[in-house]
Coordinates of all heavy atoms in Angstrom, one line a residue:
M25 N 105.3 148.7 149.4 CA 105.2 149.7 148.3 C 103.8 149.9 147.9 O 102.9 149.1 148.1 CB 106.1 149.3 147.1 CG 105.6 148.2 146.3 SD 106.6 147.7 144.8 CE 105.9 148.8 143.5
Q26 N 103.5 151.1 147.3 CA 102.2 151.3 146.8 C 102.0 150.6 145.4 O 103.0 150.6 144.7 CB 102.0 152.8 146.6 CG 101.8 153.6 147.8 CD 100.4 153.5 148.4 OE1 100.2 152.6 149.2 NE2 99.6 154.4 148.0
C27 N 100.8 150.2 145.1 CA 100.5 149.6 143.8 C 100.8 150.7 142.8 O 100.5 151.9 143.0 CB 99.1 149.2 143.7 SG 98.8 147.5 143.9
R28 N 101.3 150.3 141.6 CA 101.6 151.2 140.5 C 100.3 151.5 139.8 O 99.5 150.6 139.5 CB 102.6 150.5 139.6 CG 103.1 151.2 138.5 CD 104.1 150.4 137.7 NE 105.3 150.1 138.5 CZ 105.8 148.9 138.7 NH1 105.2 147.8 138.3 NH2 106.8 148.7 139.5
E29 N 100.0 152.7 139.6 CA 98.8 153.1 138.9 C 98.8 152.5 137.5 O 99.8 152.5 136.8 CB 98.7 154.6 138.7 CG 98.2 155.3 140.0 CD 96.7 155.1 140.3 OE1 95.9 155.0 139.3 OE2 96.4 154.9 141.5
G30 N 97.6 152.0 137.0 CA 97.5 151.5 135.7 C 98.3 150.2 135.4 O 98.6 149.9 134.2
C31 N 98.6 149.4 136.4 CA 99.5 148.2 136.2 C 98.6 147.0 135.9 O 98.5 146.6 134.8 CB 100.4 148.0 137.5 SG 101.4 146.6 137.3
G32 N 98.0 146.4 136.9 CA 97.2 145.2 136.7 C 98.0 144.0 136.4 O 97.4 143.0 136.1
A33 N 99.3 144.0 136.5 CA 100.1 142.8 136.2 C 99.7 141.6 137.1 O 99.6 140.5 136.5 CB 101.6 143.1 136.4
C34 N 99.3 141.8 138.3 CA 99.0 140.7 139.2 C 97.6 140.2 138.9 O 97.2 139.2 139.5 CB 99.1 141.1 140.7 SG 98.1 142.5 141.1
C35 N 96.9 140.9 138.1 CA 95.5 140.4 137.7 C 95.5 139.8 136.3 O 94.5 139.4 135.7 CB 94.6 141.6 137.7 SG 94.5 142.5 139.2
I36 N 96.7 139.6 135.7 CA 96.9 139.1 134.4 C 97.9 137.9 134.4 O 97.5 136.8 134.0 CB 97.4 140.1 133.4 CG1 96.4 141.2 133.2 CG2 97.7 139.5 132.0 CD1 96.9 142.4 132.4
A37 N 99.1 138.1 134.9 CA 100.1 137.1 134.8 C 99.9 135.8 135.6 O 100.1 134.7 135.1 CB 101.5 137.7 135.2
P38 N 99.5 135.9 136.9 CA 99.4 134.6 137.7 C 98.1 133.9 137.3 O 97.1 134.5 136.9 CB 99.3 135.1 139.1 CG 99.6 136.6 139.1 CD 99.3 137.1 137.7
S39 N 98.1 132.6 137.5 CA 96.9 131.8 137.5 C 96.2 131.9 138.8 O 96.8 132.1 139.8 CB 97.2 130.4 137.1 OG 98.0 129.8 138.1
I40 N 94.8 131.7 138.8 CA 94.1 131.5 140.0 C 93.3 130.1 139.8 O 92.5 130.0 138.9 CB 93.1 132.6 140.2 CG1 93.8 133.9 140.4 CG2 92.2 132.3 141.4 CD1 92.9 135.2 140.6
A41 N 93.8 129.1 140.5 CA 93.3 127.8 140.3 C 91.9 127.5 140.6 O 91.2 126.7 140.0 CB 94.2 126.8 141.0
R42 N 91.4 128.2 141.6 CA 90.0 128.0 142.1 C 89.0 128.8 141.3 O 89.3 130.0 141.0 CB 89.9 128.3 143.6 CG 90.7 127.3 144.4 CD 90.6 127.8 145.9 NE 91.6 127.0 146.7 CZ 91.2 125.9 147.4 NH1 89.9 125.6 147.4 NH2 92.1 125.3 148.1
P43 N 87.8 128.3 141.1 CA 86.7 129.1 140.5 C 86.4 130.3 141.4 O 86.5 130.2 142.7 CB 85.5 128.1 140.5 CG 86.0 126.8 140.7 CD 87.3 126.9 141.5
Y44 N 86.0 131.4 140.9 CA 85.5 132.5 141.7 C 84.5 133.3 140.9 O 84.2 133.0 139.7 CB 86.7 133.4 142.1 CG 87.5 134.0 141.1 CD1 87.4 135.4 140.7 CD2 88.6 133.3 140.4 CE1 88.2 136.0 139.8 CE2 89.4 133.9 139.5 CZ 89.2 135.3 139.1 OH 90.0 135.8 138.2
H45 N 83.9 134.3 141.5 CA 82.8 135.0 140.9 C 83.1 135.5 139.5 O 84.1 136.2 139.3 CB 82.4 136.2 141.8 CG 81.4 137.1 141.2 ND1 80.1 136.7 141.1 CD2 81.5 138.3 140.7 CE1 79.4 137.7 140.5 NE2 80.2 138.7 140.3
G46 N 82.3 135.1 138.6 CA 82.5 135.5 137.2 C 83.6 134.7 136.4 O 83.7 134.9 135.2
M47 N 84.3 133.9 137.1 CA 85.4 133.1 136.5 C 85.3 131.7 137.0 O 86.0 131.2 137.8 CB 86.8 133.7 136.9 CG 87.0 135.1 136.5 SD 87.3 135.4 134.7 CE 88.9 134.8 134.5
P48 N 84.3 130.9 136.4 CA 83.9 129.6 136.9 C 85.1 128.6 136.8 O 85.0 127.6 137.5 CB 82.7 129.2 136.1 CG 82.7 130.1 134.9 CD 83.4 131.4 135.3
L49 N 86.0 128.9 135.9 CA 87.1 127.9 135.7 C 88.4 128.5 136.4 O 89.5 127.9 136.2 CB 87.4 127.7 134.2 CG 86.2 127.1 133.4 CD1 86.6 127.0 132.0 CD2 85.8 125.7 134.0
G50 N 88.3 129.5 137.2 CA 89.4 130.2 137.7 C 90.1 131.0 136.5 O 89.4 131.3 135.6
K51 N 91.3 131.3 136.7 CA 92.0 132.2 135.7 C 93.3 131.5 135.3 O 94.1 131.1 136.1 CB 92.3 133.6 136.3 CG 92.7 134.6 135.3 CD 93.0 135.9 136.0 CE 94.5 136.0 136.4 NZ 95.4 135.7 135.4
A52 N 93.5 131.4 134.0 CA 94.8 130.9 133.5 C 95.9 131.9 133.6 O 95.6 133.1 133.6 CB 94.6 130.4 132.0
A53 N 97.1 131.5 133.7 CA 98.2 132.4 133.7 C 98.2 133.2 132.4 O 98.0 132.6 131.3 CB 99.6 131.6 133.8
G54 N 98.4 134.5 132.5 CA 98.4 135.4 131.3 C 97.0 135.8 130.8 O 96.9 136.6 129.9
E55 N 96.0 135.2 131.5 CA 94.6 135.6 131.1 C 94.2 136.8 131.9 O 94.4 136.9 133.2 CB 93.6 134.5 131.4 CG 92.2 134.7 131.1 CD 91.3 133.6 131.5 OE1 91.7 132.7 132.2 OE2 90.1 133.6 131.1
R56 N 93.6 137.8 131.3 CA 93.1 139.0 132.0 C 91.9 138.7 132.8 O 90.9 138.1 132.3 CB 92.8 140.1 131.0 CG 92.4 141.4 131.6 CD 91.9 142.3 130.5 NE 91.4 143.5 131.0 CZ 92.0 144.7 131.0 NH1 93.1 144.9 130.4 NH2 91.4 145.8 131.6
C57 N 91.9 139.0 134.1 CA 90.7 138.8 134.9 C 89.5 139.6 134.4 O 89.6 140.7 134.0 CB 91.0 139.1 136.4 SG 89.6 138.9 137.5
A58 N 88.3 139.0 134.5 CA 87.1 139.6 134.0 C 86.8 140.9 134.9 O 86.0 141.7 134.4 CB 86.0 138.6 134.1
H59 N 87.4 141.0 136.0 CA 87.0 142.1 136.9 C 88.1 143.2 136.9 O 88.0 144.1 137.7 CB 86.9 141.5 138.4 CG 85.9 140.4 138.5 ND1 84.5 140.6 138.3 CD2 86.1 139.1 138.7 CE1 83.9 139.5 138.4 NE2 84.8 138.5 138.6
L60 N 89.0 143.1 136.0 CA 90.0 144.2 135.8 C 89.4 145.2 134.8 O 89.1 144.9 133.7 CB 91.3 143.6 135.2 CG 92.5 144.5 135.2 CD1 92.9 145.0 136.6 CD2 93.6 143.8 134.6
D61 N 89.2 146.5 135.3 CA 88.5 147.5 134.5 C 89.5 148.1 133.5 O 90.7 147.8 133.5 CB 87.7 148.5 135.3 CG 88.5 149.5 136.0 OD1 89.8 149.6 135.8 OD2 88.0 150.3 136.8
E62 N 89.0 149.1 132.7 CA 89.8 149.7 131.7 C 91.0 150.5 132.3 O 91.9 150.8 131.6 CB 89.0 150.5 130.7 CG 88.3 151.7 131.3 CD 87.0 151.4 132.0 OE1 86.6 150.2 132.2 OE2 86.3 152.4 132.4
N63 N 90.8 150.9 133.6 CA 91.9 151.7 134.3 C 92.8 150.8 135.1 O 93.6 151.2 135.9 CB 91.3 152.7 135.2 CG 90.5 153.7 134.4 OD1 91.0 154.2 133.3 ND2 89.3 154.0 134.8
M64 N 92.7 149.4 134.8 CA 93.5 148.4 135.5 C 93.2 148.5 137.0 O 94.1 148.3 137.9 CB 95.0 148.6 135.3 CG 95.4 148.5 133.8 SD 95.0 146.8 133.2 CE 95.7 146.9 131.6
R65 N 92.0 148.7 137.3 CA 91.5 148.6 138.7 C 90.6 147.4 138.9 O 89.8 147.1 138.0 CB 90.8 149.9 139.2 CG 91.8 151.1 139.3 CD 91.1 152.3 139.7 NE 92.1 153.4 139.9 CZ 92.6 153.6 141.1 NH1 92.2 152.9 142.2 NH2 93.5 154.6 141.3
C66 N 90.6 146.9 140.1 CA 89.8 145.7 140.4 C 88.3 146.1 140.7 O 88.1 146.9 141.7 CB 90.3 145.0 141.6 SG 89.3 143.6 142.2
L67 N 87.4 145.6 140.0 CA 86.0 145.9 140.2 C 85.4 145.2 141.4 O 84.3 145.5 141.9 CB 85.2 145.5 139.0 CG 85.5 146.4 137.7 CD1 84.8 145.8 136.5 CD2 85.1 147.8 137.9
L68 N 86.2 144.2 142.0 CA 85.7 143.5 143.2 C 86.5 144.0 144.4 O 86.3 143.3 145.5 CB 86.0 142.0 143.0 CG 85.1 141.2 142.0 CD1 85.4 139.7 142.1 CD2 83.6 141.4 142.3
F69 N 87.2 145.0 144.3 CA 87.9 145.5 145.5 C 86.9 145.8 146.7 O 86.0 146.5 146.5 CB 88.7 146.8 145.2 CG 89.8 147.1 146.2 CD1 91.0 146.5 146.1 CD2 89.5 148.0 147.2 CE1 92.0 146.7 147.1 CE2 90.5 148.2 148.2 CZ 91.7 147.6 148.1
G70 N 87.2 145.2 147.8 CA 86.3 145.4 149.0 C 85.1 144.5 148.9 O 84.3 144.6 149.9
D71 N 84.9 143.7 147.9 CA 83.8 142.8 147.8 C 84.2 141.4 148.3 O 85.3 141.0 148.0 CB 83.5 142.7 146.3 CG 82.2 141.9 146.0 OD1 82.0 140.8 146.6 OD2 81.4 142.4 145.2
P72 N 83.4 140.8 149.1 CA 83.7 139.5 149.7 C 83.9 138.4 148.6 O 84.5 137.4 148.9 CB 82.6 139.2 150.7 CG 81.5 140.1 150.3 CD 82.1 141.3 149.7
R73 N 83.4 138.7 147.4 CA 83.6 137.7 146.3 C 85.0 137.8 145.7 O 85.3 136.9 144.9 CB 82.5 137.9 145.3 CG 81.1 137.7 145.8 CD 80.1 138.0 144.8 NE 80.1 139.5 144.5 CZ 79.3 140.1 143.7 NH1 78.3 139.4 143.0 NH2 79.4 141.4 143.5
R74 N 85.8 138.8 146.1 CA 87.1 138.9 145.6 C 87.9 137.7 146.1 O 87.9 137.4 147.3 CB 87.8 140.2 146.0 CG 89.1 140.5 145.4 CD 89.6 141.8 145.9 NE 90.8 142.3 145.3 CZ 91.8 142.9 145.9 NH1 91.7 143.0 147.2 NH2 92.8 143.3 145.3
P75 N 88.7 137.0 145.2 CA 89.4 135.8 145.7 C 90.4 136.1 146.8 O 91.0 137.2 146.8 CB 90.2 135.3 144.4 CG 89.4 135.9 143.3 CD 88.9 137.2 143.8
L76 N 90.6 135.2 147.7 CA 91.6 135.3 148.8 C 93.0 135.6 148.2 O 93.8 136.4 148.8 CB 91.6 134.1 149.7 CG 92.5 134.1 150.9 CD1 92.1 135.2 151.9 CD2 92.5 132.7 151.6
F77 N 93.3 134.9 147.1 CA 94.6 135.1 146.4 C 94.9 136.6 146.2 O 96.0 137.1 146.4 CB 94.6 134.3 145.1 CG 95.8 134.6 144.2 CD1 96.9 133.9 144.4 CD2 95.7 135.6 143.2 CE1 98.0 134.2 143.6 CE2 96.8 135.9 142.4 CZ 97.9 135.2 142.6
C78 N 93.8 137.3 145.8 CA 94.0 138.7 145.5 C 94.1 139.6 146.7 O 94.9 140.5 146.8 CB 92.8 139.2 144.6 SG 92.5 138.1 143.2
S79 N 93.3 139.2 147.7 CA 93.3 140.0 149.0 C 94.6 139.9 149.7 O 95.0 140.8 150.4 CB 92.1 139.5 149.9 OG 90.9 139.5 149.2
T80 N 95.3 138.8 149.5 CA 96.5 138.6 150.3 C 97.7 139.0 149.5 O 98.8 139.0 150.1 CB 96.6 137.1 150.8 OG1 96.5 136.3 149.6 CG2 95.5 136.7 151.7
F81 N 97.6 139.3 148.2 CA 98.7 139.7 147.4 C 99.1 141.1 147.9 O 98.3 142.0 148.0 CB 98.4 139.7 145.9 CG 99.5 140.1 145.1 CD1 100.5 139.2 144.6 CD2 99.7 141.4 144.7 CE1 101.5 139.6 143.8 CE2 100.8 141.8 143.9 CZ 101.7 140.9 143.4
A82 N 100.4 141.3 148.1 CA 100.9 142.6 148.5 C 102.0 143.1 147.5 O 102.9 142.3 147.2 CB 101.5 142.6 149.9
A83 N 101.9 144.3 147.0 CA 102.9 144.8 146.0 C 104.2 144.9 146.8 O 104.3 145.4 147.9 CB 102.4 146.1 145.5
E84 N 105.3 144.4 146.1 CA 106.6 144.6 146.7 C 107.6 144.6 145.5 O 107.4 144.0 144.5 CB 106.9 143.5 147.7 CG 106.8 142.1 147.2 CD 107.3 141.1 148.3 OE1 108.5 140.9 148.4 OE2 106.4 140.6 148.9
P85 N 108.7 145.4 145.7 CA 109.7 145.5 144.6 C 110.2 144.2 144.0 O 110.3 144.2 142.8 CB 110.8 146.3 145.3 CG 110.2 147.0 146.4 CD 109.1 146.1 146.9
A86 N 110.3 143.2 144.8 CA 110.9 141.9 144.3 C 109.9 141.3 143.3 O 110.4 140.5 142.4 CB 111.1 141.0 145.5
V87 N 108.7 141.6 143.4 CA 107.6 141.0 142.5 C 107.2 142.0 141.5 O 107.0 141.6 140.3 CB 106.4 140.5 143.4 CG1 105.3 140.1 142.4 CG2 106.8 139.4 144.3
C88 N 107.1 143.2 141.8 CA 106.6 144.3 140.9 C 107.6 144.9 140.1 O 107.3 145.6 139.1 CB 105.8 145.3 141.7 SG 104.4 144.5 142.7
G89 N 108.9 144.8 140.4 CA 110.0 145.4 139.6 C 109.9 146.9 139.6 O 109.3 147.5 140.5
E90 N 110.4 147.4 138.5 CA 110.4 148.9 138.3 C 109.5 149.4 137.2 O 109.5 150.5 136.9 CB 111.9 149.3 138.0 CG 112.8 149.0 139.2 CD 114.2 149.5 138.9 OE1 114.5 150.0 137.8 OE2 115.0 149.3 139.8
S91 N 108.7 148.5 136.6 CA 107.8 148.9 135.6 C 106.7 147.8 135.5 O 106.9 146.7 136.0 CB 108.5 149.0 134.3 OG 109.0 147.7 133.8
R92 N 105.7 148.1 134.8 CA 104.6 147.1 134.5 C 105.1 145.9 133.8 O 104.8 144.8 134.0 CB 103.5 147.8 133.8 CG 102.3 146.9 133.4 CD 101.2 147.6 132.8 NE 100.0 146.8 132.7 CZ 99.7 146.0 131.6 NH1 100.5 146.0 130.5 NH2 98.7 145.2 131.6
E93 N 106.0 146.2 132.8 CA 106.6 145.2 131.9 C 107.4 144.2 132.8 O 107.3 143.0 132.6 CB 107.4 145.8 130.8 CG 106.6 146.5 129.8 CD 105.9 147.8 130.3 OE1 106.5 148.5 131.1 OE2 104.8 148.1 129.8
Q94 N 108.2 144.8 133.7 CA 109.0 143.9 134.6 C 108.1 143.1 135.5 O 108.3 141.9 135.7 CB 109.9 144.8 135.5 CG 111.3 145.0 134.9 CD 112.2 145.6 135.9 OE1 111.9 145.7 137.1 NE2 113.3 146.1 135.4
A95 N 107.0 143.7 136.0 CA 106.1 143.0 136.9 C 105.5 141.8 136.1 O 105.4 140.7 136.6 CB 105.0 143.9 137.4
L96 N 105.1 142.0 134.9 CA 104.4 141.0 134.1 C 105.4 139.8 133.9 O 105.1 138.6 134.0 CB 104.0 141.5 132.8 CG 102.7 142.3 132.8 CD1 102.5 143.1 131.5 CD2 101.5 141.4 133.0
R97 N 106.7 140.2 133.6 CA 107.7 139.2 133.4 C 108.0 138.4 134.7 O 108.1 137.2 134.7 CB 109.0 139.8 132.8 CG 110.1 138.8 132.5 CD 111.3 139.4 131.8 NE 111.8 140.6 132.6 CZ 112.5 140.5 133.7 NH1 112.8 139.4 134.2 NH2 112.9 141.6 134.3
I98 N 108.2 139.1 135.8 CA 108.6 138.4 137.0 C 107.4 137.5 137.5 O 107.6 136.4 137.9 CB 108.9 139.5 138.1 CG1 110.2 140.2 137.8 CG2 109.0 138.8 139.5 CD1 110.4 141.5 138.6
L99 N 106.2 138.0 137.4 CA 105.1 137.2 137.8 C 104.9 136.0 136.9 O 104.5 134.9 137.4 CB 103.8 138.1 137.8 CG 103.7 139.1 139.0 CD1 102.7 140.2 138.7 CD2 103.3 138.3 140.2
A100 N 105.2 136.1 135.6 CA 105.1 135.0 134.7 C 106.2 134.0 135.1 O 105.9 132.7 135.1 CB 105.3 135.4 133.3
E101 N 107.4 134.4 135.5 CA 108.4 133.5 135.9 C 108.1 132.8 137.2 O 108.3 131.6 137.3 CB 109.8 134.3 136.0 CG 110.4 134.7 134.7 CD 111.5 135.7 134.9 OE1 111.9 136.0 136.0 OE2 112.1 136.1 133.9
L102 N 107.5 133.6 138.1 CA 107.1 132.9 139.4 C 106.0 131.9 139.2 O 106.0 130.9 139.8 CB 106.6 134.0 140.4 CG 107.7 134.9 140.9 CD1 107.1 136.1 141.7 CD2 108.6 134.1 141.8
E103 N 105.1 132.2 138.2 CA 104.1 131.2 137.9 C 104.7 129.9 137.5 O 104.2 128.8 137.9 CB 103.2 131.8 136.8 CG 102.1 130.9 136.2 CD 101.0 130.7 137.2 OE1 100.8 131.6 138.1 OE2 100.2 129.8 137.1
V104 N 105.7 129.9 136.6 CA 106.3 128.7 136.2 C 107.1 128.0 137.3 O 106.9 126.8 137.5 CB 107.3 129.0 135.0 CG1 108.1 127.8 134.6 CG2 106.5 129.5 133.8
L105 N 107.8 128.8 138.1 CA 108.6 128.2 139.2 C 107.7 127.6 140.3 O 108.2 126.7 141.0 CB 109.5 129.3 139.8 CG 110.6 129.8 139.0 CD1 111.3 131.0 139.6 CD2 111.6 128.7 138.7
T106 N 106.5 128.0 140.4 CA 105.6 127.5 141.5 C 104.7 126.4 141.0 O 103.9 125.9 141.8 CB 104.8 128.7 142.2 OG1 104.1 129.3 141.2 CG2 105.7 129.6 142.9
Q107 N 104.8 126.1 139.7 CA 104.0 125.0 139.2 C 104.5 123.6 139.7 O 105.7 123.4 139.7 CB 104.0 124.9 137.7 CG 103.2 126.0 137.1 CD 101.7 126.0 137.4 OE1 101.0 125.0 137.2 NE2 101.2 127.1 138.0
P108 N 103.7 122.7 140.2 CA 104.2 121.4 140.5 C 104.8 120.7 139.3 O 104.2 120.8 138.2 CB 102.9 120.6 141.0 CG 101.8 121.6 141.1 CD 102.2 122.8 140.3
A109 N 105.9 120.1 139.5 CA 106.6 119.4 138.3 C 105.8 118.2 137.9 O 105.4 117.4 138.8 CB 108.0 119.1 138.7
A110 N 105.5 118.1 136.7 CA 104.8 116.9 136.2 C 105.5 115.6 136.5 O 106.8 115.6 136.4 CB 104.6 117.0 134.6
G111 N 104.8 114.7 137.0 CA 105.4 113.4 137.3 C 106.0 113.3 138.7 O 106.5 112.3 139.2
M112 N 106.0 114.5 139.5 CA 106.6 114.5 140.8 C 105.5 114.0 141.8 O 104.3 114.2 141.5 CB 107.0 115.9 141.2 CG 108.1 116.4 140.4 SD 109.7 115.5 140.7 CE 110.1 116.2 142.3
P113 N 105.9 113.3 142.9 CA 104.9 112.9 143.8 C 104.0 114.0 144.3 O 104.5 115.1 144.6 CB 105.7 112.3 145.0 CG 107.1 112.0 144.4 CD 107.2 113.0 143.3
G114 N 102.7 113.8 144.3 CA 101.8 114.8 144.7 C 101.3 115.7 143.6 O 100.5 116.6 143.8
S115 N 101.9 115.6 142.4 CA 101.6 116.6 141.3 C 100.4 116.1 140.5 O 99.8 116.8 139.8 CB 102.8 116.7 140.4 OG 103.0 115.5 139.6
G116 N 100.0 114.8 140.7 CA 98.9 114.3 139.9 C 99.3 114.0 138.5 O 98.5 113.6 137.7
G117 N 100.6 114.1 138.2 CA 101.0 113.9 136.8 C 101.8 112.7 136.6 O 102.1 111.8 137.4
Ligands
LIG209 S1 89.5 139.8 141.3 FE1 90.3 141.9 141.2 S2 92.4 141.7 142.2 FE2 91.7 139.6 141.7 S3 92.6 139.2 139.7 FE3 90.5 140.0 139.3 S4 90.8 142.2 139.0 FE4 92.7 141.4 140.0

């Protein structure tokens, strides 16, 4: 599917664990990326400094839902579901 105009949900809801250009601590879940402009477009699009996480993300109905609000909710749920469980082997907790 085509990215929804003015959405930016994938640049807000998910966390990005690794540091990247302009975001030395990475990005927390729910935090707006510093490179998301006022039109919800990526200022690093086509720039090699854009994180791999972003370059490999593809809009699809299962993730993006039928509205920006749905996308934010689904992505926030996926963020929780993909977190390593505290205390589990390999989680460091
Ligand atoms: S670098 Fe661009 S695509 Fe990645 S989260 Fe930031 S604004 Fe979105």
Side-chain angles (χ1 to χ4, degrees):
M25 71 178 273
Q26 286 283 91
C27 257
R28 186 177 294 123
E29 280 292 320
C31 180
C34 60
C35 307
I36 298 170
S39 63
I40 300 178
R42 294 173 186 266
Y44 60 101
H45 175 67
M47 302 286 286
L49 301 177
K51 191 184 89 54
E55 180 183 13
R56 183 187 173 106
C57 177
H59 305 293
L60 189 61
D61 75 9
E62 65 276 8
N63 297 313
M64 301 296 185
R65 289 181 173 268
C66 175
L67 294 171
L68 287 185
F69 196 84
D71 186 314
R73 296 173 297 181
R74 189 178 186 222
L76 183 63
F77 170 86
C78 309
S79 308
T80 55
F81 180 87
E84 57 177 279
V87 175
C88 303
E90 295 181 358
S91 67
R92 178 176 191 266
E93 290 67 34
Q94 270 191 11
L96 284 165
R97 183 176 49 75
I98 294 168
L99 285 161
E101 288 171 1
L102 288 173
E103 176 73 22
V104 172
L105 290 173
T106 56
Q107 287 299 304
M112 295 293 285
S115 70

